[in-house]
């Protein structure tokens, strides 16, 4: 696949889900997250057994870039992070590369010289 144009303004996003035999796919939707016409990540929603799992996968160019979404209650400084909700309740915060991630008042920070951090709620 080849994408024409500025990827950060109009990205091509693919969600890959592997499954075998009689298993049914669980991903029900994906939605781009944008801020000021710039791509900031994707929201992936899945139906897993009796649970609805939502993941906000945040992707930015630099570790110093900041994303703030007041409606969702997400603030992130860094280049890669994931917020996971199960049945509308926060279950995990993960920073793959960055310094701070918050979701509706819950905050996860990396320590100096550390890029990654993980916290379960």
């Amino acid at each position: 696949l080849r994408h024409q144009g500025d990827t950060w303004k109009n990205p091509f996003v693919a969600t890959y889900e592997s499954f075998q035999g009689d298993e049914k796919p669980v991903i029900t939707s994906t939605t781009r997250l944008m801020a000021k016409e710039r791509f900031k990540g994707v929201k992936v929603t899945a139906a897993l057994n009796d649970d609805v799992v939502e993941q906000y996968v945040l992707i930015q160019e630099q570790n110093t870039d900041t994303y703030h979404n007041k409606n969702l209650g997400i603030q992130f400084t860094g280049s890669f992070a994931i917020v996971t909700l199960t049945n509308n309740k926060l279950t995990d915060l993960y920073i793959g590369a960055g310094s701070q991630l918050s979701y509706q008042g819950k905050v996860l920070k990396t320590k100096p010289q550390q890029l990654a951090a993980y916290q379960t709620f």
Side-chain angles (χ1 to χ4, degrees), residues 39-57:
F39 177 74
K40 294 294 183 170
V42 64
K43 174 187 174 187
V44 179
T45 304
L48 186 59
N49 300 322
D50 293 331
D51 295 322
V52 175
V53 177
E54 297 171 304
Q55 288 193 309
Y56 294 91
V57 181

Side-chain angles (χ1 to χ4, degrees), residues 30-74:
T30 57
T31 306
R32 293 189 306 176
L33 300 172
M34 305 292 287
K36 297 182 183 176
E37 298 183 16
R38 300 212 30 107
F39 177 74
K40 294 294 183 170
V42 64
K43 174 187 174 187
V44 179
T45 304
L48 186 59
N49 300 322
D50 293 331
D51 295 322
V52 175
V53 177
E54 297 171 304
Q55 288 193 309
Y56 294 91
V57 181
L58 308 173
I59 304 165
Q60 302 187 104
E61 291 182 76
Q62 306 291 322
N63 277 349
T64 56
D65 289 350
T66 299
Y67 170 63
H68 187 164
N69 186 314
K70 290 181 183 179
N71 293 335
L72 297 174
I74 295 174

Side-chain angles (χ1 to χ4, degrees), residues 56 58 60 65-78 81-83 93-95 99-109:
Y56 294 91
L58 308 173
Q60 302 187 104
D65 289 350
T66 299
Y67 170 63
H68 187 164
N69 186 314
K70 290 181 183 179
N71 293 335
L72 297 174
I74 295 174
Q75 187 161 342
F76 171 55
T77 301
I82 301 173
V83 175
L93 290 177
Y94 171 74
I95 299 173
S99 59
Q100 181 173 317
L101 172 63
S102 65
Y103 177 77
Q104 297 185 357
K106 303 288 186 183
V107 179
L108 175 64
K109 294 182 179 183

